[in-house]
Amino acid sequence: MELTADKIKELVVKPENKVYAKTPLLTDKTLSYCPGCGHGVAHRILMELVEEMGLENDTIGIAPVGCSVLAYEFMNVDMQEAAHGRAPALATAIKRLWPGKFVFTYQGDGDLAAIGGNETLHACNRGENITIIFINNGIYGMTGGQMAPTTLPGMRTSTSPYGRDTHMMGNPLKMTEIVAMLPGTYFVTRQAVHTAKHARKAKKAIKKAIEVQLEGKGTSFVEIVSNCNSGWKMTPVKANQWLEENMLDYYHLGDIKVDGKLVKEIV
Amino acid sequence: MAKKVQGYIEIDKEKCKGCELCVVACPKDIIRMSKDVNGKGYHYAEFFNPEPCVGCADCAVVCPDGVITVYRARIEV
Ligand SMILES: Cc1ncc(C[n+]2csc(CCOP(=O)(O)OP(=O)(O)O)c2C)c(N)n1
Ligand code: SF4
Ligand SMILES: [Mg+2]
């Protein structure tokens, strides 16, 4: 029998053979993100987990200010919008009032590390039983690509057009290593979603972060090193290559704290 | 008759934003960008050669917009 494209389609495209489809916990709205932006992949793996773990009626998410300000339009679960950088404070209140719910924040690096740096540190230091998903693309994507605390040394942005000069502008903040040193955090990890392999690994890490919260162990914190191809002024494919070669050289992937213990030397 | 794992993907071309990440992700090189554009003006991803597809779902996993549905079956050839 000759396998024509039509024949293959007829034999294979059946409901029982479906192995991957967009989760119903993402709405049908077109994502507001630029083509190729890592926010979309991060949204999807998070919502897949909420579905697979049967938490759709027991989840409350906090959306940030940044490109993902409209996350509540896309994630089909209960959501609250926080003021810029204030997601951990809002999550603290919600989790304390609803201890049985899975409560997460979803925040960019401008939101979490700049204006919200203070909130982040104190929520983690208090060991609030929440999950923080931190999308680090090294830039303020939404407002036009300004330098963030996480911008790499020498990296050009609209407010560091000659590259980040660390003498004048300081060094990139490794928020994830910093929160790992606080006694309140129980699981701290850095992941990426730019390839299928990385995205699958990131999904496992977020699953663990959710479990940690459900067990009441303290703060779980997942950084996702992501791209901002518009802010970086690259095609999506080029941005992912740049991420691999530059971002991952500074922001090393892997678990930093597991079961309340540091598993990596912090440098 | 021999059995073979056969995959097939469906791409929602109107929702595709043409980022090309699936083209890079596919280990079999059987996705390409269309010459035509969709309603948003993007060159969308096209599944042009189903036969080598094993249904690994790497394309769907990297798609930021979740526009790819993947099927996999053992078929007789
Ligand atoms: C109180 C306040 N200050 C400043 C702003 C402007 N502003 C909006 S988004 C943003 C930074 C967003 O960057 P990031 O959190 O990294 O998110 P991304 O867009 O990169 O995902 C800033 C400074 C604001 N909306 N509110
Ligand atoms: S500006 Fe950057 S972070 Fe924002 S949607 Fe576009 S690529 Fe993503
Ligand atoms: Mg950012």
Side-chain angles (χ1 to χ4, degrees):
Chain A
M1 177 180 65
E2 215 218 319
L3 276 180
T4 61
D6 286 343
K7 186 73 194 162
I8 292 174
K9 185 172 179 184
E10 186 195 314
L11 288 171
V12 179
V13 180
K14 297 176 183 165
E16 65 270 27
N17 296 336
K18 198 184 274 184
V19 289
Y20 199 95
K22 195 177 101 168
T23 164
L25 289 192
L26 285 173
T27 62
D28 284 333
K29 288 190 181 137
T30 300
L31 297 177
S32 49
Y33 307 115
C34 304
C37 176
H39 273 304
V41 182
H43 279 32
R44 184 156 38 78
I45 58 182
L46 178 59
M47 286 301 106
E48 282 173 2
L49 283 166
V50 171
E51 186 198 2
E52 288 161 21
M53 296 171 82
L55 294 169
E56 53 269 48
N57 297 322
D58 292 300
T59 295
I60 304 174
I62 322 290
V65 171
C67 282
S68 48
V69 65
L70 295 177
Y72 53 79
E73 295 278 356
F74 310 130
M75 299 187 187
N76 210 354
V77 293
D78 286 341
M79 299 282 290
Q80 271 285 332
E81 171 60 40
H84 202 5
R86 282 19 176 181
L90 194 47
T92 296
I94 291 174
K95 183 69 184 186
R96 287 185 180 198
L97 289 166
W98 295 88
K101 300 282 178 190
F102 163 57
V103 178
F104 71 88
T105 72
Y106 183 101
Q107 306 175 256
D109 48 325
D111 190 83
L112 180 141
I115 194 167
N118 180 17
E119 304 282 340
T120 307
L121 291 181
H122 287 288
C124 290
N125 193 44
R126 294 191 305 268
E128 297 297 339
N129 199 25
I130 57 174
T131 299
I132 295 176
I133 309 289
F134 168 35
I135 310 296
N136 177 11
N137 54 16
I139 208 162
Y140 294 178
M142 184 196 209
T143 42
Q146 291 83 2
M147 189 182 75
T150 45
T151 297
L152 295 182
M155 184 172 163
R156 289 170 198 266
T157 68
S158 59
T159 49
S160 60
Y162 304 108
R164 181 177 187 155
D165 171 358
T166 53
H167 293 291
M168 193 161 81
M169 302 158 183
N171 285 287
L173 261 189
K174 292 184 178 175
M175 282 303 281
T176 306
E177 275 80 356
I178 294 172
V179 302
M181 291 196 286
L182 303 173
T185 51
Y186 193 81
F187 176 58
V188 179
T189 186
R190 182 182 285 116
Q191 302 289 330
V193 293
H194 62 298
T195 69
K197 192 178 102 203
H198 287 96
R200 290 192 174 102
K201 230 177 144 202
K203 187 171 172 181
K204 284 199 186 116
I206 297 177
K207 182 169 190 202
K208 187 166 171 69
I210 297 174
E211 286 165 354
V212 159
Q213 181 182 150
L214 297 181
E215 290 161 14
K217 303 278 194 188
T219 312
S220 49
F221 190 103
V222 182
E223 172 177 344
I224 294 176
V225 181
S226 189
N227 61 16
C228 172
N229 44 76
S230 292
W232 298 357
K233 306 202 186 309
M234 295 172 197
T235 64
V237 171
K238 188 88 211 354
N240 281 354
Q241 280 164 3
W242 194 88
L243 180 158
E244 182 100 34
E245 287 157 17
N246 298 276
M247 294 286 277
L248 299 189
D249 203 37
Y250 195 89
Y251 297 113
H252 297 166
L253 298 184
D255 293 345
I256 299 169
K257 193 177 198 179
V258 179
D259 297 340
K261 290 186 194 72
L262 289 174
V263 291
K264 202 163 153 185
E265 199 186 343
I266 292 180
V267 282
Chain B
M1 263 209 233
K3 287 218 171 198
K4 151 178 201 247
V5 174
Q6 179 65 57
Y8 196 92
I9 64 167
E10 286 182 332
I11 299 169
D12 185 344
K13 74 172 197 187
E14 283 308 317
K15 288 215 156 160
C16 175
K17 293 180 186 162
C19 71
E20 303 188 24
L21 296 185
C22 56
V23 174
V24 177
C26 174
K28 304 288 179 187
D29 292 326
I30 49 180
I31 307 175
R32 67 180 172 206
M33 302 315 290
S34 65
K35 289 211 172 64
D36 289 342
V37 293
N38 63 16
K40 294 196 199 98
Y42 293 121
H43 294 282
Y44 49 89
E46 231 173 32
F47 181 50
F48 67 94
N49 179 20
E51 204 275 326
C53 180
V54 288
C56 68
D58 281 8
C59 54
V61 171
V62 296
C63 173
D65 293 278
V67 309
I68 303 179
T69 305
V70 185
Y71 298 85
R72 192 196 306 132
R74 282 179 77 80
I75 60 167
E76 290 188 348
V77 286

